[in-house]
Amino acid sequence: MVVSFSLVMVTLIIIGIYAILAIGMNMHWGDTGLLNFAHAGFFAVGAYTSAILTTPVGDAGLLASRTVGFDFPIVVGMIAAPITAGLFGLLLGITSIRLDGDYLAIVTLAGAETARLIISNEAWLTSGVQTLNNIPRPLDESLPAVLPYDVFYFGLVLLVLLGSYALFRHFANAPFGRVLHAIREDEDVPKALGKDTAWFKLKSFALGAALAGLAGSLWAHYVYAIQPTMFLSNLTFSIWAMVIIGGAGSYFGAVAGAVIVTGIRQITRFLPGDIPLGNELPYLRLIIIGVLLIAVLYYRPHGMFGDKERSLAGMSGGGN
Amino acid sequence: MSDDSPILETESVTKKFGGLVAVDTVSVSIEQGEITGLIGPNGAGKSTLFNLMSGFLEPNNGAVTLKGEDVTELQPDKRAERGLIRTFQITRELSGMTVMNNMLLAAQENPGERILPLLTQPGTVRAYEDEQRERAEELLKYLELWELREEYAGNLSGGQRKLLELGRSLMCDPDVLLLDEPMAGVNPDLTDHLLDRITELRDEENRTFLIVEHDIETIMSISDSVIGMHNGEILVQGEPETVQQDEQLLEAYLGGEV
């Protein structure tokens, strides 16, 4: 079998973008214990922000015409995307962050769907259900011929990935992260010690959402064209699978989870027919991910790279 | 030594849970620089009163005053910032965090808990953290938990958890400490040690304590004032000797009708 070079690069870029999403989710769930089901929404807000800011008006479609567009440089879009996604996260958080567990999950899921429906319906702004296309690629056609575009773009994604990995790990290991961990364990305790826990949860929510927005921008400027169906909530569930398989609370685990889950999804998609089960595997990939998820939860409830000792502390022995 | 006005006061606070009146128009004043004992049989409303004072419950009626300021509407964290720290009856150690991190969490006004200083002033953040680490070291050594500093708090024994909670509260440098059964499960040697520490903090630093404790002998021996509660009401408040002889309270403890 011949594995094409470009296919590998595409897969790597997608893995990188998903890994950035998983890092944001790990701050929500792994560090703070927030059940966020709005990640696809933050991703979408980032992607659309960046696309609208960097494309011109007049993207006439069959059903409706987009009347808003700014044609700004790409860097403006990439800066604005995390800001609007973070603000969306903040807005969603203000209305719901005092809710516990499942209730927060329901509200965030609804919030992401609301965002997607707004994107689908407000065609003057987003091109609606039609595709918002001709999104510019950074440095397109100005790269030296020896450097394939996908290699350059993977470098860009990798840079953002490493940067956000370092930044979020720094937050998690700092006193700030210590308060988030305390909230995850038992919110009453930091509250009794003078921490404004609602505010900390909002910050965590906004930071993770902003990072998802940045990932959305990277996505939009890579794929040329975006449409609302790219941001269905099953994307959110995939990110959850990555964080859980990798090990909630571990940023390395989040990245590893993204590599594993995205790897399975992409590799099975392009398998040639001449290897065993080559024709069947593509249809089985969600089942494979599901089985993997169950196996991990059964044999390693703390995930592949999660802290086993931590998750077991207090489970056996001790007082009470 | 103490100021004229009480440092912590409740004014006719009432808390109902459905048809049950857990705390019934209770007015108490806690004087600064004193140790006040709060006693009463199970279900007397002691923990509910703690929750009302610390802001974990909002009263149906009445007001809570801290340092002369009405704090009835304030969340627990805002009261903690004003110097009121409480512990929990059933220990709430953060089991998945180390003993040291449990302690450091309690440091107040930590610049490293804010995003901007974390990025722009790493030196300040580090210096503050080191300073707090030293304070934590001193407290942990005193509480005989120093050897366990890197252990997850969930792996400590019941008594050790009580000590950790006390240490964590002291890290906040509180003016008023509400301790809910701080001695339960702690070995007797260490209990004496703890009581010494508490009286020392009162005498030398003018700190105020309100302590719920079932060990009557202990509470009588260290308290400047004792409050006896039963069925959500204050039966008696006064000096330990007076309270000890209160017949109503004795009857309540012995299970008689009042």
Side-chain angles (χ1 to χ4, degrees):
Chain A
M1 60 184 263
V2 181
V3 178
S4 104
F5 174 70
S6 70
L7 218 53
V8 171
M9 288 320 295
V10 171
T11 304
L12 285 176
I13 289 169
I14 295 174
I15 286 175
I17 291 174
Y18 277 27
I20 296 169
L21 286 171
I23 285 173
M25 177 73 93
N26 188 52
M27 171 153 280
H28 294 157
W29 170 243
D31 285 335
T32 327
L34 298 170
L35 280 168
N36 159 33
F37 277 91
H39 229 51
F42 303 142
F43 189 54
V45 168
Y48 272 92
T49 301
S50 211
I52 293 163
L53 286 175
T54 57
T55 50
V57 194
D59 188 15
L62 289 166
L63 303 168
S65 295
R66 186 156 66 91
T67 56
V68 176
F70 296 91
D71 211 6
F72 286 140
I74 292 171
V75 64
V76 175
M78 287 195 169
I79 291 169
I83 294 173
T84 52
L87 287 176
F88 176 51
L90 204 60
L91 187 73
L92 203 54
I94 287 169
T95 59
S96 59
I97 209 87
R98 282 169 205 276
L99 299 173
D100 277 334
D102 316 353
Y103 298 102
L104 181 63
I106 293 166
V107 173
T108 49
L109 187 59
E113 281 299 286
T114 308
R116 194 175 60 81
L117 288 172
I118 290 172
I119 290 169
S120 301
N121 287 293
E122 302 303 317
W124 59 276
L125 180 67
T126 63
S127 296
V129 289
Q130 305 167 82
T131 312
L132 195 169
N133 43 39
N134 294 324
I135 304 167
R137 281 183 155 186
L139 299 182
D140 205 7
E141 284 161 26
S142 58
L143 286 175
V146 288
L147 181 63
Y149 190 79
D150 281 359
V151 174
F152 158 73
Y153 208 81
F154 177 65
L156 179 66
V157 170
L158 196 61
L159 208 65
V160 174
L161 173 60
L162 290 176
S164 48
Y165 177 81
L167 187 68
F168 275 55
R169 259 189 63 121
H170 177 55
F171 287 153
N173 293 331
F176 174 72
R178 193 161 56 215
V179 179
L180 299 187
H181 295 160
I183 291 170
R184 177 189 66 199
E185 299 251 339
D186 182 347
E187 194 179 341
D188 279 350
V189 175
K191 228 184 221 173
L193 297 173
K195 314 296 174 192
D196 187 346
T197 53
W199 182 229
F200 276 95
K201 289 199 290 187
L202 272 181
K203 282 188 192 174
S204 159
F205 211 59
L207 280 172
L211 190 58
L214 184 58
S217 173
L218 285 172
W219 175 258
H221 290 290
Y222 179 67
V223 297
Y224 290 117
I226 52 174
Q227 57 188 66
T229 50
M230 284 175 169
F231 307 99
L232 294 169
S233 42
N234 57 8
L235 174 69
T236 301
F237 302 139
S238 289
I239 310 293
W240 268 96
M242 294 168 197
V243 172
I244 291 169
I245 288 172
S250 157
Y251 283 96
F252 184 77
V255 175
V259 173
I260 293 164
V261 173
T262 319
I264 291 173
R265 291 189 71 143
Q266 296 301 320
I267 290 165
T268 52
R269 177 175 291 180
F270 300 114
L271 278 180
D274 56 0
I275 69 157
L277 289 177
N279 287 321
E280 286 78 20
L281 273 175
Y283 306 102
L284 294 175
R285 59 200 161 99
L286 288 181
I287 297 177
I288 294 172
I289 292 169
V291 169
L292 183 66
L293 193 59
I294 292 168
V296 165
L297 285 175
Y298 190 81
Y299 292 105
R300 289 179 74 89
H302 48 284
M304 299 180 87
F305 298 97
D307 188 338
K308 184 182 178 185
E309 251 186 281
R310 193 200 85 207
S311 58
L312 288 181
M315 303 283 277
S316 61
N320 286 348
Chain B
M1 183 154 69
S2 34
D3 214 287
D4 283 350
S5 59
I7 189 162
L8 177 65
E9 243 183 324
T10 68
E11 198 184 314
S12 316
V13 289
T14 297
K15 182 66 193 177
K16 297 176 193 163
F17 297 109
L20 177 80
V21 185
V23 168
D24 195 357
T25 45
V26 164
S27 302
V28 291
S29 356
I30 312 299
E31 302 295 333
Q32 180 164 10
E34 287 196 354
I35 297 173
T36 306
L38 179 57
I39 59 172
N42 293 327
K46 306 184 295 293
S47 289
T48 305
L49 187 60
F50 258 43
N51 282 331
L52 291 168
M53 287 171 162
S54 56
F56 280 86
L57 288 175
E58 220 180 294
N60 300 95
N61 268 311
V64 181
T65 317
L66 176 65
K67 298 180 185 170
E69 190 187 353
D70 187 341
V71 295
T72 319
E73 303 287 316
L74 292 186
Q75 288 288 311
D77 54 291
K78 298 287 175 259
R79 300 190 199 193
E81 278 173 9
R82 285 166 171 75
L84 174 96
I85 299 288
R86 58 93 45 98
T87 65
F88 296 90
Q89 184 181 354
I90 297 165
T91 52
R92 304 282 278 273
E93 82 289 345
L94 299 161
S95 54
M97 289 168 68
T98 62
V99 168
M100 184 50 108
N101 273 332
N102 264 273
M103 295 290 284
L104 292 174
L105 173 71
Q108 299 294 296
E109 287 169 34
N110 192 336
E113 286 174 5
R114 284 177 295 132
I115 297 290
L116 214 57
L118 212 48
L119 296 176
T120 56
Q121 307 162 25
T124 316
V125 170
R126 186 171 296 276
Y128 189 84
E129 191 79 350
D130 288 343
E131 193 184 304
Q132 297 305 318
R133 224 170 255 281
E134 275 173 35
R135 283 187 59 214
E137 176 174 346
E138 192 243 335
L139 281 165
L140 285 176
K141 281 182 172 160
Y142 190 86
L143 296 168
E144 300 178 7
L145 290 172
W146 177 242
E147 304 295 321
L148 296 165
R149 61 191 178 278
E150 292 308 321
E151 189 59 65
Y152 284 102
N155 297 334
L156 301 184
S157 76
Q160 287 167 335
R161 291 178 202 194
K162 282 280 177 195
L163 294 174
L164 176 58
E165 241 196 321
L166 182 67
R168 201 169 61 187
S169 312
L170 292 176
M171 276 296 284
C172 297
D173 207 9
D175 300 317
V176 188
L177 250 175
L178 310 184
L179 303 176
D180 206 341
E181 299 190 21
M183 324 294 177
V186 179
N187 83 59
D189 286 350
L190 210 44
T191 305
D192 293 343
H193 199 49
L194 276 181
L195 294 175
D196 288 346
R197 176 72 172 197
I198 288 171
T199 43
E200 198 181 290
L201 283 166
R202 172 195 60 186
D203 297 339
E204 284 166 24
E205 299 181 31
N206 202 25
R207 313 249 179 197
T208 311
F209 292 86
L210 178 65
I211 305 176
V212 169
E213 189 51 63
H214 281 301
D215 182 347
I216 300 294
E217 216 170 292
T218 305
I219 205 77
M220 293 298 176
S221 69
I222 61 161
S223 298
D224 300 294
S225 165
V226 174
I227 300 168
M229 268 189 100
H230 183 50
N231 285 342
E233 293 175 18
I234 304 290
L235 286 185
V236 56
Q237 175 168 17
E239 293 184 357
E241 297 75 27
T242 331
V243 173
Q244 205 154 14
Q245 278 146 32
D246 188 84
E247 291 200 2
Q248 278 193 315
L249 189 70
L250 283 174
E251 256 186 84
Y253 258 112
L254 295 172
E257 285 298 314
V258 177

